[in-house]
Amino acid sequence: MNTVNRNTAYYLLTGLNLSLQKMPRRNPDIQSAQEALDEALNVFNPSKRHSPRALDYALAHLYGRFVRLIGLQGFKLDPETLTWWHQLKDFMENDIHEELSSISQPRGIL
């Protein structure tokens, strides 16, 4: 992942994280979503240097967990958080789709 895409992903992850933190913590789905975000943000943290492949895996893993939470478990996001999720999803499905589609997930990631 190039520097521009890395920075864009980090910006979107940070915005999604800040928005998600405003939602009530009573729901266990929020805790699961927060854990997924924390893992991805740890990999994308600018002070750490991870391989481009690790960044791809982190995004793919986050995407898989959010899709399962929203699609299969019916997790409802508030409007602000949903907007951030749609921006991240659009970025992943359009801007870096080819990069992400070239990776194969290690067993147990998704």
Side-chain angles (χ1 to χ4, degrees):
M1 182 178 302
N2 67 37
T3 303
V4 171
N5 286 341
R6 178 189 173 114
N7 290 340
T8 300
Y10 187 67
Y11 167 77
L12 294 171
L13 289 171
T14 301
L16 180 60
N17 184 48
L18 292 172
S19 181
L20 186 66
Q21 288 178 355
K22 295 177 188 174
M23 293 181 65
R25 293 278 183 224
R26 299 180 302 270
N27 188 332
D29 289 338
I30 291 176
Q31 293 171 356
S32 182
Q34 187 64 61
E35 288 172 8
L37 265 169
D38 289 345
E39 290 171 10
L41 283 167
N42 185 44
V43 174
F44 274 85
N45 187 328
S47 68
K48 298 181 180 180
R49 286 286 167 217
H50 291 283
S51 73
R53 194 58 108 198
L55 302 174
D56 293 346
Y57 285 135
L59 275 180
H61 182 71
L62 173 78
Y63 180 83
R65 286 184 68 182
F66 262 75
V67 166
R68 273 195 308 276
L69 284 169
I70 294 168
L72 299 176
Q73 293 175 235
F75 178 42
K76 301 291 185 207
L77 299 173
D78 66 15
E80 178 186 352
T81 308
L82 187 60
T83 299
W84 280 105
W85 165 243
H86 283 300
Q87 289 178 23
L88 178 63
K89 185 177 167 190
D90 181 62
F91 171 71
M92 292 176 64
E93 291 177 354
N94 296 306
D95 298 348
I96 61 169
H97 175 74
E98 287 187 33
E99 291 178 53
L100 294 180
S101 66
S102 69
I103 66 170
S104 66
Q105 291 293 323
R107 210 170 238 232
I109 286 287
L110 293 177

